[in-house]
Amino acid sequence: MVICIVAMIVFAILGIFSAKYRSLAKEAFRCTFNTITFRPCETNLDQRIRSRVTTKLMKTSPKIAKFTYKNFKILSWIFVILFFSSMIYSGYSIYNLVVHGSCNPGATCIFNPGQPPTKNTCVITSEFVEFYGAECPHCRKMIPVVEQVERETGVIFQKLEIWHNDTNRETFLMHAESIEKSCGFLGVPTFYNTKTDRAICGEKTVEELKNFIIKNG
Amino acid sequence: MNVEKIRKDFPILEKKFKGKPIIYFDNACMSLRPHQVIEKMNEYYEEYSACAGRSVHKFGTRVTEEYEKARDMIAKHIGAKKPQEIVFTRNTTEGLNLVAKSLNLNKNDVVITSDREHNSNLIPWQMLKNKGVVHKIVYSNADMTFNLENLKKMLNKQVKLVSIVHTSNLDGYTLPVKEIIKLAHDNGSLVMLDAAQSMPHKKIDVRKLDVDFLAFSGHKMLGPSGTGVLYGKYDLLEEMNVFLVGGDTIQNTTYDSHEFLKPPEKFEAGLQNYAGMIGLAEATRYLDKIGKDNIEKHEIELNKIITNGIADIKGLKIIGPEQPELRSGIISFNIEGINHHDIAIMLDDIANIMIRSGQHCVHSWFNAHKIEGSARASLYLYNTKEEAEMFIHNLKEIAKLK
């Protein structure tokens, strides 16, 4: 039965730490193999799981136990689908965490290990970012340019002030390496794309900024 | 019969899981052992663990003495004429195979079995087809009782052997073996009984029954696992061919000839399970002390409680005759909508109640009746009314799942 597939993965992971689960993992593997070749599970592992789950539920709610026992096949399919989709999402998030430093770049970050919220790299919520300083004259000059580009392309730059805002500065510094690679220096204003990790720095024309969007969009 | 006192003899019954005591209802498969049997076996290992019938030293003499005493005790327990009629085996299966291989059966000879034989009393006969031996089945009545008329019709000069189960492990029904033996003998046929399920629970006297062969196991009657006995009338054993050969079995050999010993040694090849057989003899002593009639009565009493207690479960079907007194200590059943294995797993999980589920090695009957299997509770002398009530209560809880 399909539940064996999940059992195999769970027991295999638990088997790393405890020998008790290794034999169960092997059993689940045989059962899975039989399931995918459309044969009944010889070891009754699926049946044991169904019965054990039912008896656990019987203690709290006989009605839920009855429902679970009767619909175990459907429930295990739902469980398997949820299990695999959450596994895929977790894998994707871990990949993002390693590559982008955020488990979910461009959106609200749920998982952000080891860093206090003030240093949250997830302040970036959109693909294009403009880092600026409040008193920076170049930045001020860029305001109408950015406005025009935003109007004409539909792309909105997320504007992060880094001279006074510590959190934003942290974010800026986290991307310092990529910015320096693109611009050769660190400074404001910096227009940055979070997906390609490319940047252009300093006062730019409308055309230059549009080109940056086209190349990195 | 003082069940509480008996229970104190079984150390395993003190075991608890999750703070709850165990309820052992799988006695048709394997019984528990009293400390007397365990200690008797340990005595062999601790005090005289040597070979029997060979070495002349103190240990050798003691083990020979104990081993032959065991044979004598077992012979008396089943009412055999002499201890030489007791062949030690590993189990009932070996006893049945021994007769199938060693009895002089030839082409067109017929062997009759019932329709609810354990695989051990079915396959050995199916295998003889190569020799031209014909295996026939006598079918039961619709209510699962034995049909003597059917047997009568099948008996003729070709029938050399009726090999039949005494008490069925499928449903606990005891076949009318006295009548079967009479019919077979009148026809000039031999009779062998598979007594694996009857010997632990019933007083059996092989001479009163006048049965020719009878096989049983030790592990279902408080004895050690890996022990069994084949009883055979001495003159028949003498005529029979050897089974396994080698160590023991032999009077004398030269480089190109050999002379076999007399029964029972001629069938007991190689070094024997001394501790096991000495333990089995101790088990027969224990059973005799309590009295098998008392045990049988106790089991039927519990079977009545359970049968009546579970009768109102919707969709419950008991395999075998309706009356509990015809099913000894066995309740083999199915509840519609709940798989038999699930019942067994859940009883074990909820209340440490251990029962068997499956086809109980009687696949042929289940296949013929198109039933997937059954859950089977089987009782013995140490089971109590409270345990029976716990079983009923928990089974009713499980039945609510459907």
Side-chain angles (χ1 to χ4, degrees), chain A residues 55-194:
Chain A
T55 52
K56 291 274 174 302
L57 292 171
M58 272 165 85
K59 283 172 203 157
T60 47
S61 164
K63 269 190 186 166
I64 298 174
K66 186 176 171 175
F67 178 81
T68 310
Y69 184 77
K70 279 191 154 178
N71 301 295
F72 195 76
K73 211 165 191 173
I74 300 163
L75 291 173
S76 51
W77 266 109
I78 295 170
F79 185 69
V80 168
I81 292 163
L82 285 176
F83 181 85
F84 279 103
S85 50
S86 67
M87 257 203 3
I88 292 163
Y89 272 104
S90 305
Y92 179 64
S93 300
I94 291 166
Y95 168 81
N96 280 339
L97 189 70
V98 173
V99 175
H100 300 295
S102 158
C103 58
N104 201 2
T108 320
C109 187
I110 303 163
F111 178 63
N112 189 24
Q115 289 185 22
T118 50
K119 290 184 181 175
N120 198 332
T121 54
C122 296
V123 287
I124 298 175
T125 55
S126 67
E127 198 182 333
F128 288 94
V129 183
E130 182 194 353
F131 294 106
Y132 71 100
E135 296 87 7
C136 157
H138 310 288
C139 304
R140 226 171 279 159
K141 274 187 197 162
M142 282 306 291
I143 293 170
V145 179
V146 172
E147 269 176 6
Q148 189 188 337
V149 170
E150 282 183 338
R151 214 172 33 243
E152 286 172 13
T153 60
V155 170
I156 306 293
F157 283 88
Q158 187 189 356
K159 291 151 196 86
L160 300 177
E161 206 289 329
I162 65 165
W163 285 4
H164 302 281
N165 187 319
D166 292 343
T167 312
N168 289 349
R169 188 165 53 246
E170 288 285 343
T171 311
F172 177 70
L173 289 174
M174 274 198 68
H175 298 283
E177 207 180 318
S178 326
I179 294 166
E180 238 183 321
K181 216 166 134 191
S182 296
C183 302
F185 64 92
L186 274 185
V188 283
T190 289
F191 302 91
Y192 181 67
N193 183 289
T194 53

Side-chain angles (χ1 to χ4, degrees), chain B residues 107 121 128 145 196 201 207 222 364 373:
Chain B
K107 202 174 171 196
N121 195 24
L128 288 184
T145 52
H201 311 278
R207 260 187 296 173
L222 313 182
S364 53

Side-chain angles (χ1 to χ4, degrees), chain B residues 54 245-249 268-272 274:
Chain B
R54 297 162 170 83
V245 290
D248 240 328
T249 69
E268 294 174 354
L271 196 100
Q272 296 293 295
Y274 305 124

Side-chain angles (χ1 to χ4, degrees), chain A residues 10-22:
Chain A
V10 173
F11 290 145
I13 295 167
L14 291 172
I16 298 169
F17 307 104
S18 158
K20 185 179 122 190
Y21 293 104
R22 263 166 246 161

Side-chain angles (χ1 to χ4, degrees), chain B residues 184-201:
Chain B
H185 281 177
D186 288 349
N187 184 59
S189 317
L190 296 172
V191 177
M192 171 152 77
L193 287 186
D194 166 2
Q197 215 57 247
S198 56
M199 189 57 80
H201 311 278

